[in-house]
Amino acid sequence: MQYIENIKKLFSKNFVESPLIESFEVGKIYLSSGKLVACDPVLTNDMKPFTTDFPKGEFQVLLHKERESNCVAYGEIVFAKNEILNWEMATTQGQNIKDLANEEVFGYPVESGMGCFMDLESQNSLNDLEQKLFQRKGDDFMGIYEEFFHEHFFDENGAIDQYAFLKPDEEQPRNIFAFETGYGEGFYASYIGFDVNNNPVKIVTEFIEIQ
């Protein structure tokens, strides 16, 4: 699996060493249950979490942009600074790596041009928010992107931001990290780096393969 080798080369250290990539620490995500979901939140409102159990708490998020295009090439969450022993493709319930043909991947589809990382409980809160907005607005409800996500991607001057941290429930600490996905629509896989004790050190979603 060549894609695993490329992820291993780029992300096994505590920093990315490539002249083609520019990296940014953009903020922290809060995971309340450790059940992590990655999806297009506009397209999929019932995404299964990854089968790996992640730590609970607040963790650093990084975006890695392709310098030439300034597009988001990789999204990353760092759970620990431990040395990474091996990498595996992230899977959800019912997915088996052995079922994949050569170069096939498990991942999530994007149609809105936006992906996200969030706790499963955050996904539930987002669905609750959508239902509340729909019930309150009725025929005036424009969809969850327009009603919730849109305003967070534009600053006061109208310039477009490439990412945002959002809280579907202001009374809870958990949040959603949403961001532009590569060149837009596509199907994107995630990869988990594990330490010697098989604990997850980081997760990376790839939107643009950079070698």
Side-chain angles (χ1 to χ4, degrees):
M1 294 183 176
Q2 182 59 41
Y3 42 79
I4 288 280
E5 291 304 313
N6 193 50
I7 293 291
K8 179 180 178 180
K9 181 180 69 174
L10 287 174
F11 291 100
S12 290
K13 298 179 181 179
N14 289 330
F15 57 92
V16 174
E17 211 169 17
S18 171
L20 305 178
I21 296 175
E22 189 172 8
S23 301
F24 303 88
E25 291 186 352
V26 293
K28 293 186 176 181
I29 189 170
Y30 186 87
L31 303 181
S32 53
S33 73
K35 300 293 186 182
L36 181 64
V37 171
C39 68
D40 176 340
V42 178
L43 178 65
T44 310
N45 67 352
D46 59 352
M47 192 72 175
K48 294 178 181 178
F50 295 121
T51 53
T52 297
D53 287 326
F54 293 93
K56 301 175 185 179
E58 196 173 51
F59 304 99
Q60 184 66 56
V61 179
L62 297 94
L63 285 184
H64 307 275
K65 295 184 185 180
E66 182 184 43
R67 285 185 183 273
E68 184 176 2
S69 67
N70 197 42
C71 292
V72 175
Y74 301 91
E76 175 184 6
I77 303 176
V78 178
F79 302 100
K81 297 294 185 181
N82 301 351
E83 182 179 356
I84 295 176
L85 184 66
N86 70 292
W87 286 90
E88 296 178 7
M89 186 184 301
T91 58
T92 61
Q93 184 180 358
Q95 295 178 340
N96 191 326
I97 299 297
K98 295 179 181 179
D99 295 335
L100 295 174
N102 189 37
E103 298 308 310
E104 286 185 340
V105 297
F106 289 120
Y108 66 88
V110 170
E111 292 185 5
S112 70
M114 178 176 66
C116 78
F117 287 124
M118 59 181 166
D119 192 274
L120 179 62
E121 292 180 347
S122 296
Q123 181 174 248
N124 295 335
S125 294
L126 180 63
N127 290 335
D128 290 344
L129 175 64
E130 183 174 17
Q131 288 300 313
K132 290 176 182 176
L133 291 170
F134 175 72
Q135 291 170 7
R136 188 170 79 231
K137 295 197 170 188
D139 291 342
D140 293 328
F141 180 70
M142 295 184 293
I144 193 63
Y145 177 79
E146 289 292 338
E147 300 285 356
F148 179 63
F149 288 97
H150 178 81
E151 65 176 319
H152 296 277
F153 281 86
F154 294 84
D155 66 19
E156 63 274 10
N157 299 316
I160 299 174
D161 292 329
Q162 290 180 296
Y163 66 89
F165 288 88
L166 310 94
K167 295 184 70 174
D169 185 345
E170 288 295 337
E171 296 182 0
Q172 299 293 333
R174 53 182 178 262
N175 57 0
I176 299 170
F177 176 59
F179 45 85
E180 291 182 356
T181 53
Y183 304 136
E185 296 181 3
F187 188 81
Y188 303 112
S190 302
Y191 305 90
I192 306 170
F194 294 92
D195 66 15
V196 66
N197 295 314
N198 207 37
N199 294 316
V201 175
K202 60 177 64 175
I203 184 169
V204 176
T205 303
E206 181 177 72
F207 306 104
I208 303 171
E209 185 180 12
I210 298 178
Q211 297 184 351

